[in-house]
Amino acid sequence: MGAGRPAEERVSVRPPEVRLREAVPPEAALTEADRALVRLLDRLAADRYAFVAPTPSTASTVAGRRDRARPDNLRDVLGWSLPFAPRDLPDDVEALLRAGDVLRPDGELLRPTVRVSAVDGRLHLHSAPGSNADAVFLGPDSWRFVRLLRETLDRRPGFARALDIGAGAGVGALALAARAPLAEVAATDVNPRAIRLLRINAVHAGQPLRIVEGSGLAGLTGPFDLVVANPPYIADRDKRTYRDGGEALGTAVALTWAREAAGVLAPGGRMILYTGAPVVEGRDLVHAGLTDLAAARGLELAYEELDPDVFGATLRRPEYATVERIAAVGAVLTRP
């Protein structure tokens, strides 16, 4: 993952009798296009819009049943990413999409470059299929990640200072901020497109976050009571930011972030990691790496397979010739 110079924005938000919570984005920091997309999310929420982003294969199958969106069907356009004709949508929705600069021509039709999906009861703006290498996607991994956060924090709630590493569109950071309104919640990402979407989603959700553009911890220092991460975990030949987990069959980013997190945990602090783990000859490479890390740093490790087999089609690629399966896993590293 490339390193970027940390870029922070702050706004004064001081709840009564609570120390300053540094927050990004302030409304004033958004561009006019960003503001239009916040209004779009507000409009959709008021209209009870609901869409859950599926796997890419499911999205392709369902979208392939029609060649264009049905008139006035916002889920066809902003969920299934189908093209639509001008004036097929309510005038205000089309105007907001144009003002947000998220429409591209598709022959005589128009197609959105973003989707809107619900996770944990909140709407999130993210990239549509077919986007560039710096796309920011939500899907079943996002849903499982937030579920892992909820279940882990249900067992032992409470944190004052939290960090979401590689936050993407912000499902983790926003879930934490909603759960603990008085906590400081920071979020980092190396991808400028992710930072933009996170700003928009945070303003729509009404959650003041501290957002920092940069790799890994992006210069932030501890101690943190809670660090969470949902890193990319596929060995991607095209090095796409949203997909590439680095060396060692895509495990390098997850293990690097776990090492960084271990260095900033407060006493009793935890890192909650959701990722994919390649299994080679029965050996889970992520579990092995985290076990070594826990032993070296004096941490406690809890580890669980959440789904034993995800991204099965990836195993057909030459670099995965030795891999039996990829498991979706949840890990909690705790500093005593």
Side-chain angles (χ1 to χ4, degrees):
M1 305 290 287
R5 180 180 179 184
E8 302 185 20
E9 300 162 8
R10 297 180 176 85
V11 61
S12 295
V13 177
R14 190 186 298 270
E17 301 180 5
V18 176
R19 69 191 178 94
L20 178 66
R21 179 176 175 182
E22 295 172 294
V24 174
E27 287 275 359
L30 301 180
T31 67
E32 287 304 313
D34 296 340
R35 293 171 186 274
L37 295 178
V38 172
R39 293 196 297 274
L40 173 66
L41 291 176
D42 294 344
R43 200 275 198 199
L44 295 174
D47 218 28
R48 297 177 181 265
Y49 170 95
F51 181 82
V52 176
T55 63
S57 60
T58 295
S60 177
T61 297
V62 175
R65 295 171 181 167
R66 293 187 300 278
D67 59 1
R68 56 169 289 178
R70 293 164 291 191
D72 294 323
N73 194 309
L74 298 181
R75 294 178 78 254
D76 277 1
V77 174
L78 293 171
W80 298 113
S81 300
L82 292 169
F84 66 97
R87 294 179 296 280
D88 265 1
L89 298 184
D91 290 344
D92 61 329
V93 172
E94 183 174 335
L96 290 171
L97 290 170
R98 290 183 183 278
D101 194 25
V102 290
L103 291 178
R104 61 179 173 84
D106 188 332
E108 297 181 354
L109 303 177
L110 298 170
R111 188 185 293 271
T113 61
V114 294
R115 283 186 290 180
V116 178
S117 300
V119 181
D120 200 36
R122 285 175 296 280
L123 296 183
H124 299 77
L125 197 72
H126 61 115
S127 300
S131 301
N132 296 329
D134 61 349
V136 183
F137 292 122
L138 271 62
D141 276 334
S142 307
W143 187 90
R144 286 188 287 255
F145 175 44
V146 171
R147 181 176 180 178
L148 174 66
L149 298 182
R150 287 202 308 264
E151 292 178 349
T152 304
L153 293 172
D154 283 347
R155 289 191 292 269
R156 199 191 106 196
F159 57 90
R161 192 166 188 247
L163 168 64
D164 184 358
I165 302 177
V171 293
L174 292 175
L176 296 180
R179 187 181 184 97
L182 299 183
E184 288 187 5
V185 179
T188 71
D189 204 288
V190 72
N191 182 356
R193 180 171 292 189
I195 294 295
R196 183 197 182 204
L197 293 174
L198 178 50
R199 288 172 177 163
I200 292 166
N201 291 333
V203 169
H204 163 69
Q207 297 293 354
L209 303 176
R210 180 182 183 187
I211 299 175
V212 183
E213 183 179 338
S215 179
L217 295 178
L220 295 177
T221 57
F224 289 99
D225 306 302
L226 181 64
V227 179
V228 305
N230 172 18
Y233 56 79
I234 299 298
D236 187 52
R237 288 168 293 186
D238 297 325
K239 304 299 181 185
R240 289 168 288 187
T241 303
Y242 65 87
R243 184 176 175 87
D244 184 32
E247 303 298 325
L249 293 171
T251 66
V253 170
L255 295 177
T256 296
W257 288 359
R259 284 192 295 272
E260 292 185 5
V264 296
L265 290 178
R270 293 170 289 174
M271 186 210 189
I272 304 174
L273 173 68
Y274 171 88
T275 191
V279 178
V280 179
E281 296 292 333
R283 182 172 183 261
D284 178 332
L285 302 189
V286 171
H287 184 254
L290 292 178
T291 299
D292 290 345
L293 173 64
R297 301 288 187 92
L299 306 175
E300 299 170 359
L301 172 64
Y303 193 89
E304 180 184 6
E305 282 197 8
L306 306 176
D307 191 323
D309 185 15
V310 297
F311 286 100
T314 301
L315 303 188
R316 302 189 187 103
R317 292 169 47 182
E319 55 267 47
Y320 280 87
T322 62
V323 178
E324 299 173 357
R325 59 190 176 92
I326 302 171
V329 302
V332 181
L333 290 161
T334 305
R335 179 171 297 285

